[in-house]
Amino acid sequence: MSPPKTAPFAEEEIDLLNRVVGTASPVQRAWLAGFLAGLDASGAAVLPHPAAPARPAEPLTIIYASESGNSEKLAGDLAKAARKNGLKPTVIDMADLELSALASAKRLVMIAATWGEGEPPARAVRAYNELMGEGAPRLDGVEFGVLALGDTAYAEFCAIGRKIDERLAALGGKRVVDRVDCDLDFTEPAARWIGDAVKVLTPPNAGGRVIEVDFGAKAGASASTDIVEAEIIEHVDLNSSRSDKETIHLALSFEGGAPAYEPGDSLDLYAENDPTYVDELLKIAGLANDEKLRADFIKSRDVTTLSLKTIETYAASTGHQYVKALLADGQAKEWIAGRQLIDLIATFPISIDAEKLRALTRPLAPRAYSIASSRREIGDEAHLLISAVRYDSHGRARKGVASNYVAERLKRGQHVRVKLKPNRHFALPAPDKDIIMVGPGTGVAPFRAFVQERRATKSSGRSWLFFGDRTFTHDFLYQLDWQDALKDGALTRMDVAFSRDTPEKVYVQNKLWQRRADLIQWLDDGAYFYVCGDAKAMAKDVRAALVRAYADVKTLSPEAAEKAVTTLEREKRYLQDTY
Ligand SMILES: Cc1cc2nc3c(=O)[nH]c(=O)nc-3n(C[C@H](O)[C@H](O)[C@H](O)COP(=O)(O)OP(=O)(O)OC[C@H]3O[C@@H](n4cnc5c(N)ncnc54)[C@H](O)[C@@H]3O)c2cc1C
Ligand SMILES: Cc1cc2nc3c(=O)[nH]c(=O)nc-3n(C[C@H](O)[C@H](O)[C@H](O)COP(=O)(O)O)c2cc1C
């Protein structure tokens, strides 16, 4: 029997009831009667959803290889989206990855940045090498997707993400989401990729709801990592007037309090382009009178970077035959080295309109600067140490955008926009632990913050600083600060290497080697080892010096000495912030 037409329901509801009750078995009807009676008795106003049979959430392994935190942040975003979709995500820093975890993963996402010149982020090097090595496990049947982060300004754009993607497939993994290679303005493409990946990786009936991912939205952003205006209250060149370098100590004050930074964090600084450069570029392009484009270029476009993508866009939009030939011959990558956008337009001139010229540029990205102060000592200020990047190439004098914006055009009393970039992977240890800091050039900036913090918190741990630059007389950055710190005990020991003061060049790595006995003793006593500054040569040379020091002091084989340093890295006692 089915409900009569006179039942107190709308016609379509009666149809629905008919469909359920009309076909129900006697047992189902009896259950339904009891259920409805019970519901009435309990006084429940709203029909509860029948409880879904308990089903364990499907796992998703998310691995990130990150140095400055972008991939790590995206891994967190992905985990959030996956959880909402009924998956059970596990997020792993590649620094901590045991490769065996890969083979047991059912679904795998890797988010990887590229550093150096096509290298993995420093913390990820060990696991990356293992993944590429012969001992890597088979990944047959593992569903995976890779999101790559990079910067088209580098010749090896997204090389690490690309290689990981290829490797996972070669090991038998099943690529279910195509890789996307993101440039510095990754927010939107990464959010789209994450949305797609979650959809694809969620098995049917996982129990969640498909969500739209809008990571550009403000709601979740904490106030402390918003862009804020700061006033420049000190602007001092720390090199002497006879130095061939210019390194600016910039003190910033914040209305309403400084961002809640910790020693080891950086500030992203939003710079403007050099108007002289922009004027020259527009003149060469035949667009000198376009005031709107000029303003846009100065304030918000990256008008210096020349990438393969720029050349491809130029060839496609102008049809310039020589540019096409440059690409066809495979010469473009080589031609780019040491050149900028202005060289492309000057070398291969052609009539171009404002829209096409703008399409050759990307948004102007902020530049990171290590914070050189501790709030616990200096209150609501933040100090930065910025070295002006200047060089000649292909017959042209070049100037780094942000560093020269600061060095040449910003003055005391003006304002600058900055954003806090936290770095929990480069933080001070417990106050009673010893620290060894290796920071030549601007690499010393975060160590000024460390030393100030240790003084302000009356830390009992010892501190040892290795600093280096060109000359003692002209380039000894923050010399008086170090002298004071040595006097009041915030700094226990300091070694300096001035490469141009002696006939034979001496660098921080040479100083480490000279002090190797004490160095290894400090490390054996539990000291933390920090390296900041140049990634191209210094960071590698410092690591190599430490391996040699272990081998020599402890009479170890090169392999055992390498293992000693790897152990420090895995214990998170060898920490790097290099660029
Ligand atoms: C986490 C982090 C912390 C940092 N902290 C500091 C800091 O405390 N102090 C500091 O000064 N910098 C720091 N940097 C570097 C800083 O972010 C900028 O990269 C630097 O100031 C250059 O920026 P720019 O805009 O002036 O130069 P850009 O306009 O970005 O130009 C730099 C580019 O010019 C090219 N170039 C530079 N020199 C040469 C050369 N000799 N020959 C050919 N090409 C060359 C390279 O392609 C280089 O990438 C940090 C970077 C990171 C990632
Ligand atoms: C010193 C330095 C070197 C870099 N080298 C490369 C590179 O070789 N190729 C590339 O595609 N991106 C390169 N990048 C860009 C980073 O991959 C990009 O900033 C990325 O968003 C960083 O992600 P992370 O914060 O997760 O480390 C480099 C960035 C810096 C600061």
Side-chain angles (χ1 to χ4, degrees), residues 158-467:
C158 285
I160 294 305
R162 187 167 27 82
K163 287 181 189 165
I164 288 176
D165 190 39
E166 285 164 9
R167 183 65 176 154
L168 297 181
L171 291 169
K174 186 177 161 205
R175 186 185 295 108
V176 293
V177 200
D178 284 337
R179 192 185 76 245
V180 165
D181 294 340
C182 297
D183 202 355
L184 290 183
D185 48 343
F186 58 82
T187 310
E188 275 177 29
R192 259 198 312 277
W193 188 91
I194 287 175
D196 291 347
V198 167
K199 272 183 210 160
V200 172
L201 289 161
T202 304
N205 310 321
R209 61 199 167 89
V210 175
I211 50 147
E212 291 303 319
V213 186
D214 178 12
F215 298 119
K218 273 263 161 253
S222 96
S224 63
T225 52
D226 284 347
I227 299 175
V228 291
E229 282 240 328
E231 186 188 335
I232 295 163
I233 53 170
E234 280 175 45
H235 184 291
V236 184
D237 178 6
L238 296 188
N239 298 101
S240 89
S241 56
R242 287 173 52 203
S243 171
D244 44 10
K245 285 178 148 189
E246 188 177 354
T247 315
I248 305 297
H249 163 78
L250 199 68
L252 304 175
S253 88
F254 300 83
E255 212 172 289
Y261 68 84
E262 291 297 326
D265 290 349
S266 302
L267 286 184
D268 264 350
L269 187 144
Y270 291 77
E272 289 184 9
N273 284 298
D274 183 353
T276 315
Y277 173 95
V278 171
D279 286 341
E280 200 184 340
L281 176 68
L282 291 178
K283 193 169 152 211
I284 291 172
L287 293 164
N289 297 325
D290 195 327
E291 283 303 322
K292 190 164 160 258
L293 188 63
R294 180 178 188 269
D296 187 31
F297 271 12
I298 290 174
K299 263 203 161 358
S300 47
R301 305 300 294 177
D302 178 351
V303 289
T304 51
T305 294
L306 180 62
S307 66
L308 203 54
K309 202 172 135 204
T310 324
I311 298 194
E312 284 164 359
T313 311
Y314 192 61
S317 65
T318 64
H320 198 299
Q321 56 168 334
Y322 292 136
V323 181
K324 281 180 161 175
L326 195 67
L327 287 163
D329 296 348
Q331 306 277 310
K333 215 168 174 178
E334 206 178 301
W335 193 81
I336 286 168
R339 289 193 164 89
Q340 297 175 318
L341 177 61
I342 199 165
D343 301 87
L344 179 70
I345 314 288
T347 315
F348 304 108
I350 198 162
S351 162
I352 188 168
D353 63 26
E355 203 180 314
K356 281 185 181 157
L357 185 63
R358 191 177 186 279
L360 297 176
T361 66
R362 57 181 184 171
L364 181 58
R367 309 296 200 263
Y369 294 99
S370 310
I371 299 175
S373 54
S374 155
R375 281 186 302 136
R376 283 169 195 86
E377 179 156 302
I378 61 152
D380 273 325
E381 294 178 13
H383 299 172
L384 302 178
L385 180 66
I386 300 179
S387 169
V389 172
R390 293 175 189 133
Y391 59 97
D392 288 313
S393 63
H394 303 287
R396 223 178 245 279
R398 320 271 174 176
K399 290 178 179 180
V401 171
S403 57
N404 285 284
Y405 170 67
V406 170
E408 297 184 352
R409 296 193 299 289
L410 281 185
K411 303 274 175 292
R412 207 156 68 93
Q414 290 183 331
H415 288 79
V416 64
R417 292 187 314 138
V418 292
K419 186 169 93 163
L420 174 59
K421 205 167 166 44
N423 185 353
R424 65 187 177 89
H425 302 287
F426 201 72
L428 274 167
D432 61 339
K433 299 287 180 200
D434 296 341
I435 55 173
I436 299 163
M437 302 164 282
V438 183
T442 53
V444 84
F447 302 137
R448 184 169 177 266
F450 279 23
V451 168
Q452 286 187 354
E453 178 85 3
R454 290 216 130 187
R455 180 188 293 120
T457 54
K458 298 188 171 52
S459 298
S460 60
R462 296 175 297 169
S463 315
W464 185 356
L465 175 64
F466 287 85
F467 172 71

Side-chain angles (χ1 to χ4, degrees), residues 69-79 111 147 149 186 190 194 215:
N70 296 333
S71 310
E72 180 175 6
K73 157 87 173 48
L74 292 175
D77 291 344
L78 172 61
I111 305 181
L147 180 65
L149 261 61
F186 58 82
I194 287 175
F215 298 119

Side-chain angles (χ1 to χ4, degrees), residues 1-15 17-18:
M1 201 173 99
S2 51
K5 288 275 178 206
T6 52
F9 290 99
E11 213 167 303
E12 60 275 29
E13 288 171 332
I14 290 178
D15 283 347
L17 281 169
N18 262 333

Side-chain angles (χ1 to χ4, degrees), residues 65-72 113-118 149-151 154 156-159 184 186 579:
S66 186
E67 181 129 354
S68 61
N70 296 333
S71 310
E72 180 175 6
T114 299
W115 278 75
E117 300 292 331
L149 261 61
D151 178 347
Y154 288 87
E156 297 300 322
F157 175 54
C158 285
L184 290 183
F186 58 82
Y579 44 86

